[in-house]
Amino acid sequence: MAILDSPEILDTTSSSADNGAAHHTTLRRRQSARSVPPLLDSDSNSLEAESAINDSENVRNDANLIENLRGGAVESENEKQESYGKEEGAKVKENGETSNGNGTDVMAVKFTFRPAAPAHRKNKESPLSSDAIFKQSHAGLFNLCIVVLVAVNSRLIIENLMKYGWLIKSGFWFSSTSLRDWPLLMCCLSLPVFALASFLVEKLVKLNYIPEWVAVFLHVTITTVEILFPVVVILRCDSAVLSGVTLMLFACTVWLKLVSYAHTNYDLRVLAKSLDKWEAMSRYWNLDYAYDVSFKSLAYFMVAPTLCYQPSYPRTACIRKGWVVRQLIKLVIFTGLMGFIIEQYINPIVQNSQHPLKGNLLYAIERVLKLSVPNLYVWLCMFYCFFHLWLNILAELLCFGDREFYKDWWNARTVEEYWRMWNMPVHKWMVRHIYCPCLQNGIPKIVAVLIAFLVSAIFHELCVAVPCQIFKFWAFSGIMLQVPLVIVTNYLQEKFKNSMVGNMMFWCFFCIFGQPMCVLLYYHDLMNRKASAR
């Protein structure tokens, strides 16, 4: 039973190897074999012999495994070198730097990394140049801005707390003075009655009980009473400013919806009388609905996140409950952050400032600039809470499909682009019911734009001046001043052909000087009104 007396068995394996790695493996196996003692000694027992046999077999298996692994690694490395050469050859071919022939790939790999190889072969722009800045990803710079903002604002928060202390009172969300606003709440709950009245008018017109001109007169009466009723209630009640602003926003929303409901149904009746026009419009817009006065359609429209009426809307398949919960949590967080900034930062600044149009000019400019940063934060939080979170939550609960509530207004190059992108529900309403009807009736384009801005200015004035009970037309003037800014920013955009110039002009005029100035004007006028009332 002499099994390992001589290493010839292992030599047969090593004789077939033709590289240094295999030879090295053979030498190691020979040494391992010689280190095993002979198993035919007379004094050795069977257990020791069997153990030695098993050990020798394990050594031989390990050696074979190492040889296979080394061979596979060498083969894999050769394959990598070949594929690398092919890829480099292909790259050189694309750049047009190879010569024809079978050795093209080999030559490309050989000369690609030589010192004589050209390092500059194309005209290229720097990543931050004006021609290439929008073609690059700026995620790292965005993260840097977030880190800087967190660091700077953390210092400001600590400094503010050390200087003023904790200014948010226990009755921040609800106080005993809120109970006096119950007339505004009752007025808000009664506004759907006007929608029911508009539905009855449309039903009577469809059944030919009243003529068209009577329906128009009734709709004008209903919408006028609907917007004047909250104004009277707010002016007669000594209510909080925030409650009045909420009621006026709700009343203006209902007014816009009722106008769209009446105007759209009127146009549907006109199209229904002409079968050719109806079929042409249905084919063009791919519509599958007909003219019908349905209470269900009106009820859905009154709660849907849109201001433009149509009998049916694109719908989603289901409601994502988990997604709704996450958005509600975000809504609570950002609403609280907005209230914290108002109470802790904006209120002390406006209380310690003088009227911006009276007194020291440099001091007024300093106050406006100091107010611009927290005011911008509040405005961005308001936009995110309302246009992104709340409208998307409402759309999800109602399975409303079209959720383009805003576009990338932060990239607006002109003031005109901003007003077209930041509030899509109002923009679509303006285009559908103000701008296009003006053009269809022969009104020049610039006059139609002025009319659209005039309507917007009136509603901005109503939403601010009525709750504050101050009619100095600051909000109205601020919106109408957007018209010359539109002309200026359009001129700059055409002259410089650079999107950054118009975008920076928009941010400077709108967010740094515009809104903080309006806040200071209304605050001081409100304080003067309360002082005179006492």
Side-chain angles (χ1 to χ4, degrees):
M1 290 182 62
I3 299 176
L4 297 178
D5 286 341
S6 62
E8 284 82 7
I9 298 176
L10 298 178
D11 290 338
T12 58
T13 305
S14 61
S15 62
S16 61
D18 57 352
N19 51 47
H23 180 66
H24 179 68
T25 305
T26 305
L27 291 177
R28 285 201 308 177
R29 279 183 284 181
R30 285 178 177 176
Q31 294 174 359
S32 300
R34 289 193 183 99
S35 63
V36 179
L39 300 181
L40 293 181
D41 294 342
S42 59
D43 297 334
S44 62
N45 52 37
S46 61
L47 292 176
E48 294 177 353
E50 185 176 357
S51 176
I53 293 173
N54 292 334
D55 293 339
S56 64
E57 289 180 353
N58 290 334
V59 170
R60 184 167 54 188
N61 292 334
D62 292 340
N64 291 332
L65 179 60
I66 294 173
E67 182 179 359
N68 292 333
L69 290 176
R70 287 181 175 272
V74 172
E75 183 179 359
S76 176
E77 190 67 27
N78 292 334
E79 291 178 356
K80 287 182 179 179
Q81 292 291 339
E82 293 177 2
S83 63
Y84 176 75
K86 292 181 181 179
E87 291 178 358
E88 291 296 329
K91 291 181 180 178
V92 176
K93 283 183 179 180
E94 291 178 357
N95 293 330
E97 298 176 359
T98 61
S99 59
N100 51 6
N102 296 329
T104 301
D105 296 341
V106 177
M107 296 296 292
V109 175
K110 184 181 294 185
F111 292 112
T112 296
F113 299 103
R114 294 187 65 86
H120 308 282
R121 297 188 296 271
K122 294 182 181 180
N123 297 332
K124 297 181 181 180
E125 295 288 342
S126 298
L128 295 180
S129 62
S130 58
D131 294 333
I133 188 170
F134 295 110
K135 300 178 182 178
Q136 308 291 330
S137 174
H138 301 91
L141 292 178
F142 178 77
N143 293 333
L144 174 62
C145 292
I146 295 297
V147 172
V148 172
L149 284 174
V150 170
V152 172
N153 287 280
S154 299
R155 183 191 66 81
L156 292 176
I157 291 174
I158 296 174
E159 181 181 350
N160 181 272
L161 292 175
M162 294 173 61
K163 184 177 181 180
Y164 298 104
W166 187 259
L167 299 178
I168 300 179
K169 302 176 183 179
S170 58
F172 173 70
W173 295 105
F174 183 82
S175 63
S176 59
T177 58
S178 301
L179 296 176
R180 67 188 180 188
D181 297 335
W182 68 268
L184 277 65
L185 177 61
M186 299 304 296
C187 178
C188 184
L189 295 177
S190 64
L191 291 180
V193 175
F194 296 97
L196 180 61
S198 297
F199 169 75
L200 294 176
V201 172
E202 287 298 320
K203 202 69 174 178
L204 292 175
V205 175
K206 187 176 185 301
L207 298 176
N208 295 323
Y209 288 159
I210 58 175
E212 193 69 48
W213 68 270
V214 174
V216 173
F217 175 77
L218 291 176
H219 278 304
V220 171
T221 304
I222 292 170
T223 52
T224 304
V225 174
E226 189 274 336
I227 200 64
L228 291 180
F229 176 52
V231 173
V232 173
V233 172
I234 293 174
L235 294 179
R236 290 178 63 90
C237 298
D238 186 17
S239 59
V241 175
L242 183 59
S243 301
V245 171
T246 304
L247 176 59
M248 286 307 305
L249 287 174
F250 185 68
C252 291
T253 301
V254 174
W255 188 90
L256 295 173
K257 285 178 176 284
L258 293 181
V259 170
S260 179
Y261 179 71
H263 195 183
T264 303
N265 278 319
Y266 171 79
D267 193 51
L268 288 175
R269 285 194 298 272
V270 172
L271 290 173
K273 294 177 182 178
S274 177
L275 185 60
D276 295 336
K277 292 182 179 179
W278 182 270
E279 292 179 352
M281 189 190 73
S282 299
R283 288 195 302 270
Y284 182 78
W285 294 110
N286 193 22
L287 299 176
D288 56 353
Y289 59 77
Y291 169 62
D292 187 23
V293 180
S294 172
F295 181 78
K296 181 179 179 181
S297 299
L298 175 61
Y300 183 84
F301 168 63
M302 293 305 296
V303 296
T306 180
L307 299 175
C308 296
Y309 172 76
Q310 60 191 59
S312 63
Y313 296 92
R315 306 289 291 272
T316 56
C318 62
I319 299 175
R320 297 170 292 177
K321 298 179 181 179
W323 184 88
V324 172
V325 172
R326 291 194 297 271
Q327 304 309 308
L328 286 173
I329 295 174
K330 292 180 183 179
L331 182 62
V332 173
I333 293 174
F334 279 95
T335 303
L337 177 62
M338 187 164 48
F340 172 77
I341 296 174
I342 292 174
E343 291 290 323
Q344 194 71 28
Y345 289 92
I346 294 182
N347 283 348
I349 294 175
V350 295
Q351 289 173 5
N352 298 330
S353 63
Q354 61 183 4
H355 199 283
L357 301 181
K358 301 175 183 179
N360 191 347
L361 178 61
L362 291 178
Y363 181 78
I365 294 176
E366 188 270 337
R367 291 287 96 179
V368 170
L369 292 177
K370 188 174 183 179
L371 185 61
S372 62
V373 176
N375 183 82
L376 179 60
Y377 289 163
V378 170
W379 184 68
L380 292 176
C381 287
M382 180 275 301
F383 166 80
Y384 184 72
C385 288
F386 182 75
F387 287 96
H388 183 73
L389 295 177
W390 171 245
L391 292 182
N392 273 287
I393 291 172
L394 189 60
E396 186 71 22
L397 295 176
L398 296 173
C399 297
F400 189 82
D402 187 6
R403 303 183 184 183
E404 190 184 43
F405 305 121
Y406 58 90
K407 294 183 179 179
D408 57 334
W409 55 266
W410 45 88
N411 293 325
R413 296 169 294 182
T414 63
V415 176
E416 181 183 5
E417 287 187 4
Y418 165 76
W419 287 109
R420 289 204 311 261
M421 294 190 297
W422 101 279
N423 189 343
M424 292 306 296
V426 172
H427 171 70
K428 291 177 181 179
W429 187 94
M430 286 288 183
V431 171
R432 194 184 193 206
H433 301 291
I434 299 293
Y435 183 74
C436 289
C438 288
L439 297 181
Q440 293 171 0
N441 287 277
I443 298 177
K445 180 179 179 180
I446 185 62
V447 179
V449 172
L450 286 174
I451 293 174
F453 272 99
L454 179 63
V455 174
S456 177
I458 291 173
F459 279 99
H460 278 80
E461 184 69 22
L462 285 174
C463 292
V464 180
V466 172
C468 296
Q469 300 185 18
I470 299 171
F471 298 95
K472 292 191 176 181
F473 299 98
W474 298 125
F476 180 88
S477 301
I479 298 299
M480 294 307 297
L481 286 176
Q482 303 295 313
V483 178
L485 284 179
V486 168
I487 299 174
V488 171
T489 52
N490 286 340
Y491 171 76
L492 292 175
Q493 180 64 25
E494 294 177 0
K495 182 176 179 61
F496 293 100
K497 303 296 183 182
N498 189 342
S499 61
M500 298 301 295
V501 175
N503 186 258
M504 293 184 67
M505 289 286 293
F506 151 70
W507 281 112
C508 290
F509 280 117
F510 191 80
C511 296
I512 296 181
F513 295 105
Q515 294 186 25
M517 180 69 74
C518 288
V519 170
L520 288 177
L521 289 171
Y522 275 104
Y523 172 79
H524 286 286
D525 289 338
L526 181 62
M527 292 298 102
N528 293 335
R529 183 184 68 83
K530 290 184 177 181
S532 60
R534 294 192 187 100

